[in-house]
Amino acid sequence: MQAYKKAWEKAGMPTAKLKRIQPCITVNTSDVGEACFEIIPMLQMGAGRMNPLGPAMKVKHRGNNSVGMLKRCIENTFSALSDALDKKLPALMDITLDYPQPALVRALDKLGICKGGSKSMAELLVRSFERRFDTYSMVKDAAGNLVADPDRDILTAFDLYCFISDMQYYPEFKNLAEQTKERLIESIYRIPNLDWRDLDEDGPMSIH
């Protein structure tokens, strides 16, 4: 947790907000789904929002499951939580994006959100990004190339991690088919593992 706090302070983010954020673990149980237990490392962001710090550890209904397997899942979840706080989140805060909107579009594509029943959510996220970060813009340099405006908002990979994770709280998300929502939740779990440096290149600004 100390590495995460230092990275937060280094990024110049509000200390008051940091006090509201708490790491936690959530446990979902089901009698009818694929898994009887899902254990997920999370970051409680305040206002009822929870951002995943990695994939869910699952104990499935079928198979030779045991209490020992559940114990291993819990141990692996605590390990993932520690790894996220010590390494993954500080790394995300350290990546300043030169092309945040193209990086967002690539991330959504990489996560499989730009196709099928979830494409509408990908389009909504891009529109929301444009409204929320309307001071972000591109300008031409002396050679005529499009470059990031030096006076733009500074956005990091951590900002986009939070931004994409928040789609689960959009009213439009609740209206999606249950199968689509389940697939999107699985996609959200994978956000911390994206290679944001690779995604941060000039490119498409919208979903095609």
Side-chain angles (χ1 to χ4, degrees), residues 42-193:
M42 290 280 196
L43 202 60
Q44 190 171 8
M45 305 297 292
R49 281 172 158 72
M50 306 277 280
N51 288 354
L53 295 175
M57 306 293 173
K58 298 181 179 181
V59 178
K60 297 185 178 182
H61 283 290
R62 296 180 180 179
N64 298 319
N65 297 326
S66 64
V67 174
M69 182 176 291
L70 177 59
K71 183 180 178 182
R72 285 193 295 275
C73 282
I74 294 172
E75 290 172 349
N76 290 338
T77 303
F78 273 101
S79 178
L81 183 64
S82 177
D83 183 62
L85 294 172
D86 290 341
K87 297 176 183 177
K88 288 182 180 178
L89 291 187
L92 291 179
M93 292 179 195
D94 200 41
I95 299 174
T96 299
L97 299 171
D98 293 323
Y99 303 96
Q101 191 163 337
L104 170 64
V105 172
R106 285 196 181 89
L108 296 174
D109 184 54
K110 205 85 168 173
L111 294 167
I113 300 175
C114 297
K115 58 186 179 182
S118 60
K119 184 177 180 181
S120 61
M121 280 305 303
E123 294 169 337
L124 177 60
L125 282 168
V126 172
R127 292 196 301 271
S128 298
F129 178 91
E130 290 172 342
R131 290 194 299 270
R132 182 171 173 182
F133 301 110
D134 59 356
T135 56
Y136 169 78
S137 61
M138 304 293 289
V139 295
K140 287 187 177 181
D141 63 12
N145 299 314
L146 281 174
V147 297
D149 185 340
D151 297 323
R152 75 193 193 288
D153 284 342
I154 301 300
L155 297 179
T156 66
F158 180 79
D159 291 316
L160 287 195
Y161 151 72
C162 294
F163 178 75
I164 299 173
S165 295
D166 277 351
M167 73 173 167
Q168 60 189 305
Y169 303 107
Y170 284 31
E172 293 82 355
F173 183 90
K174 297 177 182 178
N175 296 328
L176 296 172
E178 286 303 317
Q179 190 174 11
T180 301
K181 285 194 281 190
E182 289 174 9
R183 185 166 62 80
L184 284 174
I185 291 295
E186 291 291 334
S187 297
I188 290 172
Y189 293 160
R190 292 162 40 215
I191 297 172
N193 295 325

Side-chain angles (χ1 to χ4, degrees), residues 1-16:
M1 190 69 180
Q2 289 304 314
Y4 172 68
K5 288 181 178 179
K6 287 179 181 178
W8 183 280
E9 292 167 358
K10 181 182 176 182
M13 290 189 275
T15 304

